[in-house]
Amino acid sequence: MNIRRLSGNERYVDIFVYSVLIVWGAAILFPLLYVLMTSFATENEYLTRGFFVIPREWTWDAYLYLLANDGFSQSFLNAVIITVVGTAISISATTLMAYGLSKKWFKGRSAINFMVVFTMLFSGGMIPTYLVVNEFGLINTFWSLWLPGAIAPFYLIVMRSFFSSIPYELEESARVDGCGEWRMFFSIMLPLSKASIATFVLFYMVGYWNTYFSALIYLNDSDMWPLQVFLRQMLVLNLDMEQTASLFQQEIVYTPGAKMAAIVLSALPMMIIYPFLQKHFNKGFLLGSVKG
């Protein structure tokens, strides 16, 4: 095996690149480490010690308090329901529509493709969208979060391009054996597109898990708020309550450790799921980008 040795200039360039990446990675990881470590510190240490990375006294009180808090538990459950059901709806609608639009014999294919691309460039706006959602009676239901953005145009175009790139001879062979359209989709097309589906499942999951603005607009009942809206109430609005706690006796004033623990718990599910789908990420995104 013949290995080429790096020249002096190339070695210096590599050292510079790796140094920049190490510094950049440390700058990204340090705030995450600070939040994680602070969540295990006592409130007294947080208030008296100031800035620190490793707490002197470790405690699980913040996590135990959050897990026993009805508001956090309910919002976490809402976020799970919104994410699981919403991802299932979105990935099903995206794959089915992409498969249909990939067929050249489909009448009106060009017009529908144009409308899909048009929505990427122009949006109806917040007020018209709200009026449509309200007209359909979706206000204060999870359907207001699932249906308006069920299909992401970019993901649809990538999936359509992937289905179009599958050799037509494969379909002809399956049809000769008596394969119908639905069996063609579920038995042949879906197994071939596992990488792409896994990639877009991850994207849809992250999008639904981080749902904030739509929930703030469409969900009036606080018991239906997802985790991100609860975090806003906890992290942003609670800052003023700490200074005027006597005027808000009915409100809960969360400790700094509880706030940090809430951030950790809200990020934990996506951090657990991502490694299982990472191997499909690069492959899945490139599969549909060859043919447009």
Side-chain angles (χ1 to χ4, degrees):
M1 183 176 181
N2 188 14
I3 301 177
R4 186 178 69 88
R5 301 185 62 179
L6 297 176
S7 64
N9 292 334
E10 290 177 331
R11 189 178 296 110
Y12 292 139
V13 170
D14 286 349
I15 293 175
F16 174 77
V17 170
Y18 285 121
S19 300
V20 171
L21 292 177
I22 291 173
V23 172
W24 185 259
I28 294 174
L29 292 176
F30 186 77
L32 301 178
L33 179 64
Y34 174 73
V35 170
L36 179 62
M37 292 297 102
T38 305
S39 67
F40 290 104
T42 61
E43 182 180 5
N44 182 59
E45 182 176 4
Y46 180 87
L47 296 176
T48 59
R49 188 179 172 187
F51 180 81
F52 60 90
V53 177
I54 300 178
R56 294 171 182 168
E57 182 180 353
W58 295 71
T59 178
W60 291 87
D61 291 348
Y63 292 93
L64 296 176
Y65 173 76
L66 278 181
L67 294 177
N69 185 285
D70 293 336
F72 180 82
S73 302
Q74 184 62 47
S75 63
F76 194 95
L77 177 61
N78 292 340
V80 172
I81 296 174
I82 291 171
T83 301
V84 173
V85 178
T87 301
I89 293 174
S90 293
I91 201 67
S92 300
T94 301
T95 52
L96 286 170
M97 187 173 179
Y99 177 69
L101 292 177
S102 67
K103 303 304 177 184
K104 296 181 179 179
W105 47 262
F106 180 69
K107 294 183 179 179
R109 173 173 174 264
S110 299
I112 297 177
N113 282 327
F114 172 78
M115 287 188 286
V116 170
V117 176
F118 187 84
T119 59
M120 296 178 63
L121 304 176
F122 303 96
S123 172
M126 182 179 67
I127 295 178
T129 303
Y130 181 88
L131 294 176
V132 171
V133 172
N134 183 54
E135 189 67 23
F136 278 93
L138 303 180
I139 297 296
N140 215 32
T141 67
F142 288 151
W143 290 103
S144 62
L145 308 179
W146 295 331
L147 294 184
I151 299 178
F154 179 72
Y155 303 162
L156 174 66
I157 292 173
V158 175
M159 284 296 297
R160 183 204 65 193
S161 300
F162 169 73
F163 287 134
S164 299
S165 66
I166 296 178
Y168 184 70
E169 291 75 15
L170 183 62
E171 294 187 33
E172 284 186 330
S173 177
R175 295 186 192 282
V176 169
D177 293 335
C179 185
E181 206 65 55
W182 285 105
R183 187 177 178 185
M184 174 85 67
F185 177 74
F186 287 106
S187 300
I188 297 178
M189 297 301 174
L190 287 188
L192 290 176
S193 57
K194 284 182 179 179
S196 293
I197 291 177
T199 301
F200 296 131
V201 163
L202 177 62
F203 288 165
Y204 276 125
M205 287 183 66
V206 172
Y208 281 113
W209 184 259
N210 292 329
T211 297
Y212 165 71
F213 190 67
S214 298
L216 203 60
I217 295 176
Y218 302 131
L219 300 181
N220 302 322
D221 187 358
S222 60
D223 291 335
M224 300 184 67
W225 283 348
L227 189 56
Q228 304 304 326
V229 178
F230 178 84
L231 286 179
R232 175 183 178 271
Q233 304 296 112
M234 182 178 182
L235 299 176
V236 179
L237 299 184
N238 201 245
L239 294 177
D240 297 331
M241 294 177 188
E242 291 178 352
Q243 301 173 358
T244 57
S246 59
L247 300 178
F248 295 93
Q249 295 296 332
Q250 74 279 11
E251 298 289 349
I252 299 176
V253 179
Y254 295 95
T255 64
K259 295 178 182 180
M260 298 300 181
I263 296 174
V264 173
L265 291 177
S266 65
L268 190 61
M270 293 299 105
M271 294 176 65
I272 295 176
I273 293 173
Y274 181 79
F276 295 97
L277 300 178
Q278 183 185 13
K279 61 181 180 180
H280 302 291
F281 187 82
N282 292 332
K283 180 181 177 182
F285 218 92
L286 292 175
L287 282 176
S289 61
V290 178
K291 184 177 180 181

